[in-house]
């Protein structure tokens, strides 16, 4: 790879700098991707060695004169964080780094490397220069009197306007660059169209979910309309009397009354539309440590509880929940428990209330419910 003439360029260092800073794609195709070798960090050798890496942070560009220049990969330029900066500083001198906020960089001079004697990798010969001053490449060169002797001086006319600098790039390469850019534009348009279609599908899903919630409310209202609870017949069964007495003692509103009666007599209606939720591990850990200020639930496939509702959200124990030590401890946090002994037979007297925490798909308990063990 190091001696492959097809990978060499006939540009000068100056031309490569212009292309790198303005049209890097024209030289990227000649680049060998490299990183500092792991051996350098473990051997204690003072020479900085680089080896090929398909995800390398640096380019090596070889000239026809067997000069090997080292450039930062252009993908690295926008994400120079502290770890990257420490490695980069081994290969390039930094100008104006401390005064730069945006970290937009201009390469003023590539580093130089040479092939190692073993034929495996390259050795750093001379550091390059990177400027973080957020100026254009031509502005930096004209303003810097200490620029490299290899970089020609730019003439300035009487109006202090820079003369046009024409880089000798072949028409074939330029046309290739234009075609590749057009292909990228087509790909981007295709991706935008795909995102629009995904958005439309998600919107359809949201509408169907809203319809399902509406259907649940309709079923509840059809099976247990308001007037059946508000205006009961003179003769009521003992079960209805018991429900009304309990409900009035815990101050249920009309919606809660419908939910309680549906849950206790026909829970399938609720189970078809409910989310299964359980207390989060973090909430359990805090509770065990004595912090029960915030009880938080999340969606879980085998959650202990059902969650229903739209504007007001209600929680109740999953029907036929196996009551054991773990479930009882959790239930007693969310519900006031009546009855002398915890069993798998219980009825709902009042659902607990929760609110969603932002858009996180987690819910915080705001009001405990009430259940009664039979």
């Amino acid at each position: 790879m190091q001696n492959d003439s097809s990978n060499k360029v006939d540009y000068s260092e100056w031309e490569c700098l212009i292309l790198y800073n303005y049209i890097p794609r024209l030289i990227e195709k000649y680049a060998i991707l490299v990183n500092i070798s792991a051996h350098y960090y473990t051997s204690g050798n003072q020479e900085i060695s680089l080896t090929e890496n398909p995800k390398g942070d640096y380019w090596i560009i070889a000239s026809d004169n067997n000069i090997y220049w080292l450039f930062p990969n252009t993908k690295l330029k926008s994400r120079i964080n502290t770890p990257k900066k420490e490695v980069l500083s081994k290969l390039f001198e930094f100008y104006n780094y401390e005064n730069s906020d945006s970290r937009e960089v201009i390469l003023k001079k590539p580093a130089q490397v040479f092939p190692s004697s073993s034929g495996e990798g390259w050795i750093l010969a001379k550091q390059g220069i990177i400027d973080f001053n957020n100026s254009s490449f031509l502005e930096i060169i004209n303003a810097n009197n200490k620029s490299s002797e290899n970089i020609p001086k730019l003439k300035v006319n009487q109006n202090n306007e820079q003369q046009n600098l024409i880089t000798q790039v072949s028409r074939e390469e330029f046309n290739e660059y234009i075609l590749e850019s057009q292909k990228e534009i087509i790909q981007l348009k295709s991706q935008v169209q795909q995102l629009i279609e995904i958005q439309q599908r998600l919107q359809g899903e949201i509408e169907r979910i809203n319809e399902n919630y509406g259907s649940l409310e309709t079923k509840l209202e059809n099976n247990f309309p308001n007037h059946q609870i508000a205006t009961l017949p003179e003769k009521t069964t003992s079960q209805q009397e018991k429900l009304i007495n309990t409900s009035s003692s815990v101050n249920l509103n009309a919606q809660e009354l419908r939910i309680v009666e549906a849950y206790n007599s026909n829970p399938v209606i609720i189970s078809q539309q409910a989310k299964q939720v359980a207390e989060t591990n973090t909430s359990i850990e805090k509770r065990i440590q004595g912090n029960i200020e915030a009880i938080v639930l999340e969606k879980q496939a085998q959650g202990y509880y059902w969650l229903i509702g739209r504007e007001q959200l209600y929680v109740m124990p999953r029907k036929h929940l196996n009551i054991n030590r773990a479930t009882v401890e959790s239930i007693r946090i969310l519900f006031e428990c009546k009855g002398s002994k915890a069993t798998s037979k219980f009825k709902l007297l009042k659902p607990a209330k929760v609110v969603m925490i932002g858009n996180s798909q987690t819910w915080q308990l705001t009001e405990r419910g009430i259940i009664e063990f039979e």
Side-chain angles (χ1 to χ4, degrees):
M1 190 69 159
Q2 294 176 6
N3 298 318
D4 185 355
S5 61
S6 64
N7 267 354
K8 295 182 178 181
V9 299
D10 60 357
Y11 302 133
S12 67
E13 178 181 333
W14 172 244
E15 290 169 331
C16 283
L17 274 173
I18 295 173
L19 292 175
Y20 175 83
N21 285 297
Y22 291 100
I23 318 177
R25 185 176 299 167
L26 292 182
I27 60 170
E28 181 179 6
K29 60 185 178 181
Y30 298 104
I32 302 169
L33 291 171
V34 296
N35 269 338
I36 294 181
S37 65
H39 178 69
Y40 164 74
Y41 294 102
T42 57
S43 66
N45 195 332
Q46 295 301 312
E47 288 185 332
I48 298 178
S49 57
L50 302 104
T51 53
E52 285 192 52
N53 187 316
K55 296 182 179 180
D57 288 332
Y58 307 96
W59 295 349
I60 287 180
I61 305 289
S63 75
D64 282 343
N65 298 325
N66 290 324
I67 298 174
Y68 295 86
W69 294 303
L70 183 73
F71 298 82
N73 190 328
T74 51
K75 295 178 182 178
L76 179 68
K77 292 172 66 178
S78 61
R79 48 186 176 86
I80 299 178
N81 52 30
T82 300
K84 296 286 187 185
K85 178 244 181 183
E86 290 178 359
V87 177
L88 193 64
S89 64
K90 297 179 183 298
L91 305 171
F92 296 88
E93 292 183 48
F94 290 173
Y95 285 7
N96 301 307
Y97 181 83
E98 298 301 328
N99 299 326
S100 173
D101 294 326
S102 64
R103 294 292 182 266
E104 292 295 329
V105 302
I106 292 292
L107 185 70
K108 295 181 65 175
K109 184 174 180 62
Q112 275 191 262
V113 297
F114 60 88
S116 66
S117 57
S118 65
E120 295 294 330
W122 295 262
I123 305 298
L124 179 68
K126 186 185 296 185
Q127 282 186 309
I129 300 174
I130 292 177
D131 197 301
F132 292 83
N133 200 35
N134 300 330
S135 303
S136 75
F137 177 59
L138 299 182
E139 287 172 347
I140 291 174
I141 297 303
N142 279 330
N144 188 354
N145 294 326
K146 297 180 180 180
S147 58
S148 169
E149 65 277 5
N150 294 326
I151 300 178
K153 304 286 184 180
L154 296 179
K155 297 179 180 179
V156 180
N157 62 18
Q158 293 179 352
N159 295 324
N160 292 323
E161 296 178 348
Q162 296 171 340
Q163 293 183 346
N164 292 329
L165 179 65
I166 302 174
T167 305
Q168 300 300 318
V169 178
S170 71
R171 180 170 295 277
E172 180 181 353
E173 286 179 319
F174 184 75
N175 289 339
E176 180 183 345
Y177 171 72
I178 296 298
L179 287 173
E180 289 179 358
S181 299
Q182 290 173 341
K183 288 178 183 177
E184 281 194 358
I185 292 171
I186 293 172
Q187 289 174 352
L188 287 172
K189 286 182 178 179
S190 175
Q191 290 172 1
V192 170
Q193 184 59 38
Q194 289 175 3
L195 289 173
I196 292 173
E197 292 173 359
I198 291 172
Q199 183 184 26
Q200 291 173 343
R201 286 199 298 270
L202 289 174
Q203 185 63 38
E205 291 293 331
I206 292 171
E207 291 174 358
R208 280 192 287 274
I209 290 171
N210 289 336
E211 289 174 2
N212 288 337
Y213 276 118
S215 175
L216 170 61
E217 289 187 341
T218 302
K219 287 179 180 178
L220 289 171
E221 291 172 357
N222 289 340
N223 284 278
F224 311 101
N226 289 337
H227 72 272
Q228 288 186 2
I229 296 171
T231 309
L232 293 172
E234 292 182 5
K235 292 184 179 180
T236 60
T237 65
S238 60
Q239 182 179 1
Q240 287 175 326
E241 287 176 349
K242 193 170 183 181
L243 174 63
I244 296 304
N245 291 336
T246 304
S247 299
S248 85
S249 67
V250 294
N251 299 320
L252 300 183
N253 60 37
Q255 186 178 16
E256 291 169 343
L257 281 169
R258 292 196 298 272
I259 292 173
V260 166
E261 190 166 352
Y263 178 89
N264 290 323
S265 61
N266 190 10
V268 174
I269 295 175
I270 294 179
S271 66
Q272 289 175 343
Q273 303 297 329
K275 292 184 175 74
Q276 290 199 48
V277 297
E279 192 176 358
T280 66
N281 290 334
T282 302
S283 179
I284 293 172
E285 290 173 1
K286 289 183 178 180
R287 173 163 56 81
I288 291 173
Q289 294 169 2
N291 180 5
I292 56 173
E293 292 182 0
I295 303 301
V296 179
L297 306 176
E298 65 182 356
K299 190 173 179 182
Q300 289 187 17
Q302 301 298 324
Y304 293 165
Y305 308 103
W306 286 341
L307 183 148
I308 65 169
R310 298 178 70 180
E311 295 182 0
Q312 176 59 64
L313 302 174
Y314 295 98
V315 169
M316 58 219 70
R318 193 180 74 229
K319 204 65 175 175
H320 308 301
L321 177 65
N322 181 31
I323 300 299
N324 53 39
R325 181 176 178 180
T327 53
V328 165
E329 288 180 357
S330 177
I331 286 174
R332 290 189 187 280
I333 295 297
L334 276 75
F335 297 88
E336 177 187 343
C337 298
K338 296 182 178 294
S340 58
K341 185 178 179 181
T343 69
S344 294
K345 292 184 178 181
F346 56 85
K347 62 185 177 183
L348 182 70
L349 302 185
K350 180 184 175 85
K353 294 181 181 179
V354 297
V355 293
M356 181 181 284
I357 303 173
N359 294 319
S360 63
Q361 291 298 305
T362 57
W363 299 267
Q364 182 174 331
L365 178 70
T366 58
E367 184 178 326
R368 294 173 73 204
I370 304 174
I371 63 171
E372 183 175 32
F373 292 109
E374 297 179 2

